Amino acid sequence: MKKKLGLGTKVFIGFVIGIILGLIFKEKILIVKPIGDIFLTLIKMIVVPLIFFSITSGIFSIGDVQKLKRIGTKTLVYYIGTTLLAGGIGLLIAHLFKPGKGIDIANIENSSEYEASEIPTFGETILGLFPSNPVQALAEGNLMQIIIFSLFLGISIVLIGNKSETLKKFFNEGTEVMYKMTGIIMAFSPIGIAALMACTIGEYGLKIFGPLGKFILVDYIGLISVIILMYLFMLKFIAKFPISKFFKSIGKIWIVTASTTSSSGTLPVTISVTKEDYKVKEELAQFTLPIGATMNMNGAVVYYAAAVIFVSQIYGIEMPLSQQLLIILMTTLISVGSPGIPGGGIVMTIMLLTTLGLPMEIVGMIAGIYRIIDMGHTTLNVTGDVVSTLCIARSENMFEDEYLKSTDKIVNKTNAL
């Protein structure tokens, strides 16, 4: 009897086939773009109700208000702390590899056409996190506002106790329905991911060898450095989670993040892998991961730091240490609101360059290759969500009981060597 291929294997095969088709047919492969777009649209269709149901049910499943406060505080500390550290690593890598050296300014000025959209102030960004109308937030898909409303709703359900049993049943069953719908849509993911990768490689393949090739390389070196210098440390010493076990399953998430370039779009897979493969309790995964998908920007700050240093080196502008530290602080604070900004990373780049008094001519070129580097940013963002969740699960004893014991044995065995 033949063994059926798992979904993860099928997705990987689709990923590889997409790359091959993109390299062979180049721009002609864009004819399959509607297939990838349909898959992305279906993913977007389930994200809003999935976040709404899963966060609300995750909060009242935790039950204890004090425990909820503790987990909420740890979630914010981990996401903000890791984002600050990732920004520092991004700055260090940019200084070591100097991506802006040797770039011809004339090439940039001739190919830099980008129309900047209006940039909101910091106050407007913070105010925009809170919904004045939760129904409108759900309709518009404003994820941060949906999360804020879900937090208030979940806490309110906990506080009224037994009176909310009917509501609890509704949200628990709603969460199960969304998981089932996710499973149905993800069954088509190998085809959708093949189409997305084929179009990405077909459209951008040769551009990675252009003037921005070194910048792209440095950006990815920064992302890999965060995994090596920060995530491995967190896994071994804080989460006390087997590193081999982590990397055995994280690839299932990476394939989807690279294809969709969307943390929220990858959320169904992220929750599934964290629960099923890493055995984190459902109520924790449903709480921390949706929040991380909208506010944890480990990968994005590596790019912002690299982009600012890149521009300053091109124009020969010396930046004092105080300005470089300001980059890390600004990107960390503003990243919480960036999902609600049209144009996302490009708009944030303009905001940073304007604030620091740097030329913006480079933005047009970066916008042209942003999809290529955003694949890496999204992958690191989501990886950070998972690593932080594993750390919180360890500190709160929220792994599944049987798996927790086996993990402790592995950790003890490792420490004994």
Side-chain angles (χ1 to χ4, degrees), residues 339-358:
I341 299 175
I346 297 299
V347 176
M348 282 284 290
T349 306
I350 295 171
M351 185 186 298
L352 275 173
L353 295 179
T354 302
T355 303
L356 296 169
L358 294 171

Side-chain angles (χ1 to χ4, degrees), residues 10 16-17 43 50 81 92 107 180 204 263 359 377 408 415:
K10 291 178 182 177
V16 173
I17 290 174
I43 289 287
L50 180 63
L92 178 63
N107 287 339
K180 178 57 69 176
Y204 298 105
S263 297
H377 305 158
D408 285 339
N415 291 338

Side-chain angles (χ1 to χ4, degrees), residues 36 44 82 93 99 109 126 134 235 239 248 256 258 338 393:
K44 290 176 183 176
T82 55
I93 296 300
E109 291 174 345
I126 297 300
L235 286 168
K248 184 178 179 181
V256 181
S338 64

Side-chain angles (χ1 to χ4, degrees), residues 166-178:
T166 302
L167 207 52
K168 286 180 180 179
K169 185 179 179 183
F170 169 74
F171 277 99
N172 281 331
E173 291 179 352
T175 303
E176 290 301 318
V177 169
M178 291 315 304

Side-chain angles (χ1 to χ4, degrees), residues 356-393:
L356 296 169
L358 294 171
M360 292 190 298
E361 285 80 5
I362 188 64
V363 172
M365 287 186 72
I366 293 178
I369 53 91
Y370 191 69
R371 166 86 191 209
I372 297 171
I373 55 178
D374 200 29
M375 293 162 65
H377 305 158
T378 306
T379 298
L380 194 74
N381 289 343
V382 176
T383 304
D385 300 344
V386 176
V387 172
S388 293
T389 297
L390 291 173
C391 292
I392 296 169

Side-chain angles (χ1 to χ4, degrees), residues 7-29:
L7 181 60
T9 305
K10 291 178 182 177
V11 168
F12 179 73
I13 292 171
F15 185 82
V16 173
I17 290 174
I19 293 174
I20 294 171
L21 291 175
L23 291 172
I24 294 173
F25 295 102
K26 299 181 171 62
E27 288 86 355
K28 293 179 181 178
I29 199 63

Side-chain angles (χ1 to χ4, degrees), residues 130-184:
F130 298 90
S132 58
N133 183 342
V135 176
Q136 183 181 0
L138 289 165
E140 294 176 351
N142 189 318
L143 298 184
M144 202 64 215
Q145 291 188 358
I146 293 168
I147 286 174
I148 295 294
F149 177 69
S150 299
L151 289 172
F152 277 101
L153 182 59
I155 292 169
S156 300
I157 291 173
V158 171
L159 292 176
I160 65 173
N162 294 332
K163 296 178 182 178
S164 61
E165 289 304 317
T166 302
L167 207 52
K168 286 180 180 179
K169 185 179 179 183
F170 169 74
F171 277 99
N172 281 331
E173 291 179 352
T175 303
E176 290 301 318
V177 169
M178 291 315 304
Y179 285 153
K180 178 57 69 176
M181 190 181 297
T182 298
I184 294 170

Side-chain angles (χ1 to χ4, degrees), residues 27-62:
E27 288 86 355
K28 293 179 181 178
I29 199 63
L30 293 177
I31 195 172
V32 304
K33 192 173 184 293
I35 298 174
D37 289 343
I38 289 171
F39 174 66
L40 277 181
T41 302
L42 289 173
I43 289 287
K44 290 176 183 176
M45 176 184 75
I46 62 174
V47 165
V48 168
L50 180 63
I51 288 178
F52 179 53
F53 280 108
S54 65
I55 286 191
T56 305
S57 62
I59 289 173
F60 66 67
S61 294
I62 293 172

